[in-house]
Amino acid sequence: MKRYSLGRRLNMMSVVLIVPLTILVVYLIISLLRFCNAYEQTVSNIDDTNAYSSYFKEDIDYTMYRAVIGSKTYDQIYDMPKEDRPYGWEQLKEPHELIEEARKTFQGVMESTEGERNKDCIRWILHCLDQLEICVNEIEYGIENNGPYDANMEKLQLGIYIFTDDIQNKIQTYVYQEALNFNAIQNELRNQGQFAVQLSIVLLFTIVIVGIVVSRSITRSVAKPIQNLCKATERVARGDFSKYAKVEASHEVAILADSFNIMQSEIGHLIENIKEEQNQRRVTELQLLQEQINPHFLYNTLDTIIWLAEGGQDEEVVSMVTSLSDFFRSTLSGGRDYITIGEETRHIESYLEIQRVRYQDILNYEIQVESRIASCLILKLTLQPLVENALYHGIKNKRGKGKIQVLGYQEGEEAVFEVKDDGIGMTTDEVEELRKAMKGEQSTSRRGFGLANVDERLRLNYGERYGLQFESSSGEGTIFKVHIPLQRENTG
């Protein structure tokens, strides 16, 4: 099968539809322009010639009559005092000027006139103008040389009057014949309009038929492969990567289907790799969680126990060992990622109890968690890093005794935790540096890594709207706040 691109097929369809319409429109425009030009030219010729029909004969006859009876040429009369000139002489043009203007006008009309009968009228008018000019010259010559009055009057009556009559008659004949052309133009325009309508109907019918055939062909060749491809995408969306898209096409959709099958295969492999990586990640995270137990904390706690034992403080030793045992039990928690809020509370309580014995001169703590959220789940090791931060960066650097307060309560469909301390707090610059560290930007904050880890774990597990929030003022302490969605433990 010869392969035609989808773009080429659509272009072919456009050509089938546009080219005939374009030809039709061009034909109609050319016809309309031709008839408009013919109509305008006819009107222009009639206007030009008809103008001379109204005043040319009258002006020439009167001018030459006054010249003959006064035995003065036009120029001689015009040079006379104004009061001695014939009435209205100032509005009359010199005969030679009138004849020359008329000659130029009718020569222009001759060039745009169609039809031999009309051209013959113009030729005769031009001939009469030439003869009329000869008569004018002869009469002026006779006047200037004091020729006989009778001879000049004869030339006026048998020459001037006859030629101006012929010119006027031919002008009227020409105007009449040109007016007849309007009917011919109208008839031809009517015939052309009927032909254009018939041609338009035929072309439109042909375009519709061919357009339907071509469009259905293109639609079938595109729609069915796309439908098959859509079914394949729906199957992949359901997680079924076992079957590939089968598309029979000879254009871009076939390439798209091949690319989709390759992508489907790659996605299938990637999902298998991700599952394997997630299993490996679970093991690695458990190892990291175990490694996150600060060896110094364990060493210091054991040293404290030894110190208490040497001092004979058996009850304190038992309490410390119990708290240390609870601390490790909560930290490991059977490898689970999520534990109950009650378990997390006991974990930080064990941690704070151990630290209270070590720093009994500077540390007090208070834990208040609503019992109604104790059975809800929380991401393990969410609160302990916040408590540790409050101790080492807030209370420990404060002169005198400090207090860490842990609050947990329900707010709507969320559980809210607040870890407060009345330690040294942070300056505005330190707050800004800590915010940069939590965003992963370059920072000089010493406490940023652990808090950023908590913030990132919250966002990854609960969504971007959740995370770690804090407020701090220098000398007044720090408050860390955590929001998590309420999630009841599945006891089934």
Side-chain angles (χ1 to χ4, degrees):
M1 182 183 293
K2 191 171 182 179
R3 181 182 290 268
Y4 289 108
S5 68
L6 182 59
R8 183 174 179 181
R9 293 188 178 200
L10 293 176
N11 290 335
M12 290 173 59
M13 182 176 179
S14 300
V15 169
V16 169
L17 297 176
I18 293 175
V19 170
L21 289 176
T22 303
I23 293 174
L24 176 61
V25 170
V26 170
Y27 168 76
L28 294 176
I29 291 175
I30 292 175
S31 298
L32 181 61
L33 290 176
R34 185 165 64 86
F35 287 117
C36 288
N37 290 335
Y39 181 84
E40 291 178 357
Q41 190 60 59
T42 301
V43 171
S44 177
N45 290 343
I46 290 176
D47 289 342
D48 291 341
T49 55
N50 206 31
Y52 285 93
S53 175
S54 60
Y55 72 87
F56 182 78
K57 172 179 173 56
E58 183 179 349
D59 288 354
I60 291 291
D61 288 353
Y62 179 73
T63 303
M64 297 309 298
Y65 171 75
R66 298 302 303 186
V68 171
I69 65 174
S71 298
K72 294 183 182 295
T73 63
Y74 175 89
D75 292 337
Q76 291 172 344
I77 296 175
Y78 194 81
D79 292 336
M80 293 171 59
K82 196 169 186 180
E83 60 274 11
D84 295 334
R85 298 176 194 167
Y87 175 76
W89 193 262
E90 290 78 8
Q91 285 76 36
L92 298 176
K93 291 185 178 180
E94 198 269 336
H96 292 285
E97 184 179 354
L98 282 171
I99 294 172
E100 184 60 29
E101 289 181 357
R103 182 181 289 112
K104 290 181 180 179
T105 299
F106 286 106
Q107 285 175 348
V109 171
M110 181 71 175
E111 295 176 357
S112 59
T113 297
E114 296 182 359
E116 285 300 320
R117 293 185 63 184
N118 289 352
K119 287 185 177 181
D120 288 340
C121 288
I122 301 300
R123 292 191 188 99
W124 181 253
I125 291 173
L126 292 173
H127 171 72
C128 290
L129 288 174
D130 293 338
Q131 297 301 316
L132 182 63
E133 187 174 23
I134 293 173
C135 290
V136 169
N137 290 333
E138 290 177 352
I139 290 174
E140 288 183 342
Y141 180 79
I143 292 173
E144 291 175 353
N145 291 279
N146 298 318
Y149 172 81
D150 293 338
N152 290 334
M153 180 60 72
E154 182 180 0
K155 290 179 182 178
L156 174 66
Q157 294 176 346
L158 300 180
I160 299 296
Y161 291 167
I162 291 177
F163 287 124
T164 54
D165 280 339
D166 281 352
I167 290 173
Q168 188 174 38
N169 291 334
K170 288 299 181 182
I171 288 175
Q172 293 174 352
T173 302
Y174 177 83
V175 170
Y176 173 75
Q177 291 177 354
E178 281 292 292
L180 293 178
N181 285 339
F182 284 129
N183 294 328
I185 293 173
Q186 289 177 347
N187 292 332
E188 187 175 356
L189 181 59
R190 187 181 303 108
N191 295 333
Q192 289 291 337
Q194 294 175 352
F195 175 75
V197 171
Q198 295 172 357
L199 179 62
S200 300
I201 293 173
V202 173
L203 282 177
L204 289 176
F205 182 77
T206 304
I207 290 171
V208 170
I209 297 299
V210 175
I212 291 174
V213 173
V214 174
S215 63
R216 290 189 63 182
S217 173
I218 294 177
T219 301
R220 283 197 304 269
S221 67
V222 175
K224 188 174 180 180
I226 290 180
Q227 290 174 354
N228 294 336
L229 192 57
C230 289
K231 292 178 181 178
T233 58
E234 292 175 355
R235 187 176 63 252
V236 171
R238 294 192 300 267
D240 182 6
F241 296 90
S242 60
K243 297 180 181 179
Y244 292 104
K246 294 182 180 180
V247 175
E248 295 181 359
S250 59
H251 42 71
E252 287 85 347
V253 179
I255 300 175
L256 182 61
D258 293 339
S259 301
F260 176 81
N261 289 332
I262 295 173
M263 181 185 69
Q264 175 183 331
S265 177
E266 292 294 330
I267 291 177
H269 292 311
L270 287 174
I271 289 178
E272 293 299 324
N273 292 337
I274 289 173
K275 289 180 179 178
E276 184 178 350
E277 289 177 1
Q278 285 180 338
N279 293 332
Q280 183 63 35
R281 179 184 176 186
R282 185 176 181 84
V283 175
T284 303
E285 284 181 348
L286 179 59
Q287 294 173 351
L288 290 174
L289 287 173
Q290 292 174 343
E291 292 173 0
Q292 284 179 355
I293 301 174
N294 194 332
H296 296 288
F297 168 73
L298 179 59
Y299 298 154
N300 293 334
T301 303
L302 292 175
D303 286 341
T304 303
I305 292 173
I306 294 172
W307 173 73
L308 291 173
E310 289 177 348
Q313 301 181 44
D314 296 337
E315 293 182 3
E316 285 78 358
V317 169
V318 172
S319 176
M320 285 283 285
V321 172
T322 301
S323 297
L324 184 61
S325 176
D326 291 341
F327 178 81
F328 278 112
R329 186 180 296 109
S330 299
T331 300
L332 299 176
S333 61
R336 291 176 294 159
D337 291 333
Y338 290 86
I339 60 176
T340 65
I341 293 175
E343 290 175 317
E344 181 77 0
T345 302
R346 289 191 292 274
H347 178 68
I348 58 174
E349 186 175 9
S350 300
Y351 176 81
L352 286 171
E353 183 60 28
I354 292 171
Q355 297 291 29
R356 187 184 64 79
V357 175
R358 291 184 57 205
Y359 300 103
Q360 55 186 336
D361 296 333
I362 65 172
L363 176 63
N364 277 333
Y365 70 88
E366 178 184 2
I367 300 177
Q368 294 181 355
V369 178
E370 293 180 352
S371 59
R372 59 176 176 169
I373 65 172
S375 61
C376 296
L377 297 178
I378 186 173
L379 186 65
K380 184 171 62 178
L381 293 178
T382 295
L383 301 179
Q384 188 271 332
L386 305 182
V387 173
E388 182 178 350
N389 177 79
L391 173 61
Y392 284 102
H393 296 284
I395 303 299
K396 194 174 179 181
N397 295 326
K398 176 183 178 181
R399 292 184 179 181
K401 208 160 193 178
K403 182 178 181 179
I404 296 176
Q405 186 179 18
V406 180
L407 303 177
Y409 53 90
Q410 182 177 346
E411 188 177 89
E413 295 299 321
E414 294 181 341
V416 182
F417 299 93
E418 296 182 10
V419 178
K420 305 179 181 180
D421 69 77
D422 56 359
I424 62 173
M426 290 182 284
T427 64
T428 303
D429 292 339
E430 289 174 331
V431 169
E432 184 63 27
E433 289 297 321
L434 179 56
R435 292 191 192 279
K436 289 183 180 179
M438 291 177 61
K439 292 180 181 179
E441 301 176 4
Q442 187 175 1
S443 172
T444 59
S445 176
R446 295 177 298 171
R447 63 180 79 181
F449 175 76
L451 298 176
N453 184 39
V454 173
D455 181 69
E456 183 178 7
R457 291 176 67 229
L458 289 172
R459 294 182 187 278
L460 288 174
N461 286 275
Y462 293 117
E464 285 298 322
R465 58 174 294 192
Y466 299 98
L468 185 60
Q469 302 172 354
F470 70 93
E471 296 178 1
S472 183
S473 298
S474 180
E476 298 182 6
T478 304
I479 301 176
F480 285 93
K481 185 178 288 188
V482 174
H483 291 251
I484 63 171
L486 283 177
Q487 182 180 358
R488 301 292 176 179
E489 184 176 19
N490 186 5
T491 58

